[in-house]
Amino acid sequence: MITVWAQRREELLSDCIVSPDVFTQMVDRLGEFVVPYQHALETEAGQHHMHLYLQGLLSHLQRKNAEEIATWVDVERQVIQDFIGTAPWDHRPLVTVLVGHVAERLGEPDGIIAFDPSSFPKRGTHSVGVKRQWCGHRGKVDTCQVGVYMGYVSRHDHAVLDFRLYLPAEWARDEQRRQEGHVPPEVRYHTRQEQCLEMLDEWRGQVPHGWVTGDDELGRHTRFREQLRQRDERYVLGVPCNTTIRDLEAPLPAYQGCGRRPKAPWHSVTDWRKSLPADAWTHVTVRDGEKGPVEIEMVRCRVQTRLERKRTGPEEWVVVTRRPFSDDRPLGPRASRDATDQDAQHRYQYYLTPTDGCEVAFKEPSLGELARVIKGGACIEASFERGKGEVGMDEYQVRTWQGWHHHMTLSLMAVWFLIGETHRGQQLTPALTLPQVRYGLSVLLLEVFYTPGMDYICRQVQRQLMRNELARFYHHRTRKCLPPQKLYREIQ
């Protein structure tokens, strides 16, 4: 092996040496972490249960729902299920504490606020907000719940800040389903774009940022882009491949001497892209990645867009990115089938960014800055992977409005604790990753809750037997017949 490569390999491997100080007193730091959130709750019992539930989310459990967590922390199942599913505690104060902590640690003036829906497949029809709709998790229309999330991305890290459960119109006007799902009376139907604007208005003053980004599900709505411009927000929003534009930098058709001077014709953004010369593309390196430099090929142009009913829209910059099929990196968020198009060699994605806001004119962004925002917007997908892969963000078993919001809040808090511990541990072990931190913490929690012995075994078996007998009792009651008692069998 060449000397320089051998030296770099040794340097990388030396970053993997784990110091015991990474995990020393981590459980104690979890107790300190939860204190500000406990102060946001009103009841002392809720404060205790919140700490137990967080420990369950950070544990080794394969299914991190209320029943499994209750068994793990050795608490009555109904206690944890009531705390998550039906207890009337407000999750908003906890979100306020979380946003403040994230903004303080990760905030920077040119940070990125990223919006993205995430779907949760469901089999039944009783969970609040469930219906057949586009399920990004499965890439097709399927029965699912959809949450709309607001994430934050900076050069330091990324995290999810806030969320809204999307309540379809048929749910919003069905009083019986609302009551069964415990939907508060003040909750009304809002589009996903309106939910994004609600979160932006609530937190834009507290979260330092220079950009707003999202996929084509948001960018295709001209009203949403207009609302961002009225707020003087710079955005980079995905748009579908059939978006209509007029190239303002193309040579105008010859003037015939009478009538109105001709303007550039309208084209779909795909047709416009096909007309570009081969040398129009610029190669940009965004940052170093795990599999090598993160690179992108881009082209940018000043264009005019159209509004609904073919009305002339504002001037914007269109940004087109392409990547070769040989690139094995995962695609960024894709909200719909027309989010991308392709030819024999490349796959293309399209974005729009404003030339001016309501009161200010924006400076033309560099390709490097646009590439940073586009790639940064994809980090919210990585945040979802953290939540779903490490703390069971998608493993809830609740049907109510409160239960969904309670579980989501505690899941985001658990991920944020892991982010903080990862940053701390990387000062001692630079190669440390968040999954390894969660693994180490889960082993430490085994010492806290796992106490093998005859009493422990009897309690766990009794818990399972009681659950089975209660299920048998309720099954018989629905048929209006008393269940028979189990008989003692004589020992032969």
Side-chain angles (χ1 to χ4, degrees):
M1 184 179 292
I2 301 176
T3 304
V4 65
W5 288 95
Q7 181 179 354
R8 178 51 54 90
R9 177 182 176 183
E10 292 301 318
E11 291 173 351
L12 294 179
L13 293 179
S14 67
D15 289 343
C16 300
I17 299 175
V18 180
S19 167
D21 293 336
V22 173
F23 299 103
T24 301
Q25 297 183 337
M26 185 177 286
V27 175
D28 295 335
R29 289 195 295 274
L30 176 59
E32 297 171 359
F33 167 85
V34 80
V35 169
Y37 300 93
Q38 289 177 324
H39 290 164
L41 289 182
E42 297 178 355
T43 63
E44 185 175 343
Q47 296 172 0
H48 177 64
H49 296 151
M50 180 178 67
H51 193 186
L52 291 177
Y53 199 82
L54 275 176
Q55 290 172 313
L57 293 176
L58 294 166
S59 71
H60 72 291
L61 295 174
Q62 292 184 349
R63 299 289 297 174
K64 297 175 181 179
N65 52 58
E67 181 175 353
E68 295 292 333
I69 291 175
T71 302
W72 165 246
V73 299
D74 201 12
V75 174
E76 190 67 34
R77 172 174 59 93
Q78 197 64 43
V79 171
I80 298 297
Q81 287 183 336
D82 289 345
F83 169 69
I84 289 297
T86 59
W89 55 273
D90 187 6
H91 71 283
R92 301 305 304 169
L94 276 65
V95 173
T96 301
V97 176
L98 175 65
V99 172
H101 288 172
V102 174
E104 180 181 0
R105 180 174 295 182
L106 303 185
E108 56 185 14
D110 59 348
I112 305 165
I113 290 179
F115 292 106
D116 194 26
S118 184
S119 55
F120 302 88
K122 292 292 178 181
R123 292 183 179 179
T125 60
H126 299 288
S127 297
V128 61
V130 70
K131 66 166 289 190
R132 285 189 60 81
Q133 53 193 326
W134 176 259
C135 180
H137 181 80
R138 292 179 173 168
K140 63 178 182 179
V141 175
D142 204 348
T143 303
C144 63
Q145 290 173 299
V146 175
V148 181
Y149 294 83
M150 172 180 168
Y152 185 73
V153 183
S154 74
R155 293 174 179 83
H156 307 291
D157 213 319
H158 52 86
V160 178
L161 300 182
D162 200 1
F163 53 89
R164 298 286 190 274
L165 175 61
Y166 174 68
L167 193 68
E170 52 266 40
W171 267 87
R173 58 175 176 260
D174 190 331
E175 287 300 325
Q176 180 178 352
R177 298 183 81 182
R178 290 176 65 102
Q179 292 178 6
E180 293 173 352
H182 296 193
V183 180
E186 64 272 13
V187 175
R188 293 291 180 264
Y189 171 72
H190 293 284
T191 65
R192 299 175 190 179
Q193 293 76 28
E194 290 172 339
Q195 291 178 319
C196 291
L197 292 173
E198 288 176 4
M199 290 186 281
L200 181 63
D201 291 339
E202 184 172 1
W203 303 119
R204 62 192 293 239
Q206 302 181 39
V207 179
H209 65 282
W211 294 91
V212 174
T213 188
D215 58 26
D216 71 286
E217 183 176 353
L218 303 176
R220 69 175 65 227
H221 290 268
T222 59
R223 177 67 177 170
F224 180 69
R225 305 203 307 266
E226 179 186 357
Q227 289 292 323
L228 292 178
R229 289 192 297 272
Q230 290 181 0
R231 291 165 171 79
D232 290 327
E233 295 284 357
R234 301 189 77 178
Y235 57 78
V236 178
L237 295 174
V239 292
C241 57
N242 56 5
T243 302
T244 304
I245 61 170
R246 171 188 282 159
D247 189 346
L248 299 181
E249 297 179 1
L252 296 178
Y255 181 51
Q256 302 298 325
C258 60
R260 295 182 178 178
R261 291 189 175 274
K263 296 182 179 180
W266 294 100
H267 296 288
S268 72
V269 70
T270 299
D271 292 338
W272 175 82
R273 185 262 304 167
K274 292 178 180 178
S275 66
L276 294 174
D279 60 354
W281 298 90
T282 301
H283 189 92
V284 179
T285 300
V286 184
R287 63 176 185 274
D288 288 331
E290 294 297 325
K291 297 183 179 181
V294 177
E295 300 170 325
I296 191 173
E297 287 188 296
M298 308 175 61
V299 64
R300 175 196 58 204
C301 181
R302 193 182 187 96
V303 299
Q304 191 171 34
T305 57
R306 269 184 171 172
L307 305 177
E308 293 83 358
R309 300 176 184 177
K310 297 185 178 181
R311 293 177 297 153
T312 301
E315 293 184 5
E316 297 176 270
W317 281 294
V318 66
V319 182
V320 187
T321 65
R322 73 178 185 184
R323 51 177 290 180
F325 286 121
S326 59
D327 189 348
D328 60 351
R329 297 176 187 272
L331 283 174
R334 179 177 176 179
S336 59
R337 294 183 180 91
D338 59 358
T340 65
D341 68 350
Q342 61 191 40
D343 57 20
Q345 296 180 325
H346 298 90
R347 180 177 283 110
Y348 301 88
Q349 289 184 285
Y350 306 92
Y351 305 87
L352 288 174
T353 185
T355 59
D356 52 49
C358 181
E359 298 180 356
V360 296
F362 297 132
K363 181 181 177 182
E364 182 175 3
S366 65
L367 290 178
E369 181 71 358
L370 291 171
R372 181 183 73 89
V373 177
I374 290 171
K375 289 298 184 181
C379 288
I380 192 171
E381 292 291 328
S383 295
F384 293 152
E385 291 179 7
R386 285 176 173 177
K388 296 177 181 181
E390 301 300 330
V391 302
M393 179 178 167
D394 59 340
E395 296 174 1
Y396 56 89
Q397 291 181 349
V398 293
R399 293 181 174 180
T400 64
W401 178 272
Q402 294 93 338
W404 190 89
H405 287 82
H406 292 168
H407 178 83
M408 285 298 149
T409 302
L410 296 175
S411 297
L412 299 187
M413 290 165 50
V415 173
W416 178 239
F417 174 75
L418 292 177
I419 292 173
E421 286 298 306
T422 303
H423 288 182
R424 177 187 175 278
Q426 286 174 344
Q427 298 176 7
L428 303 169
T429 304
L432 191 68
T433 63
L434 187 142
Q436 276 68 59
V437 171
R438 207 278 305 167
Y439 165 76
L441 178 57
S442 68
V443 175
L444 291 173
L445 290 173
L446 281 172
E447 299 181 4
V448 177
F449 291 105
Y450 186 63
T451 55
M454 196 61 66
D455 291 341
Y456 177 83
I457 295 172
C458 291
R459 286 199 307 272
Q460 298 306 320
V461 173
Q462 178 180 323
R463 181 191 299 271
Q464 297 171 9
L465 290 175
M466 292 181 65
R467 186 184 189 281
N468 294 343
E469 289 304 293
L470 283 174
R472 190 166 70 95
F473 173 81
Y474 288 119
H475 284 311
H476 278 74
R477 194 174 72 168
T478 57
R479 298 188 179 187
K480 298 181 180 179
C481 57
L482 285 174
Q485 280 189 286
K486 295 290 181 70
L487 300 177
Y488 294 100
R489 299 184 181 273
E490 294 185 359
I491 299 177
Q492 301 296 330

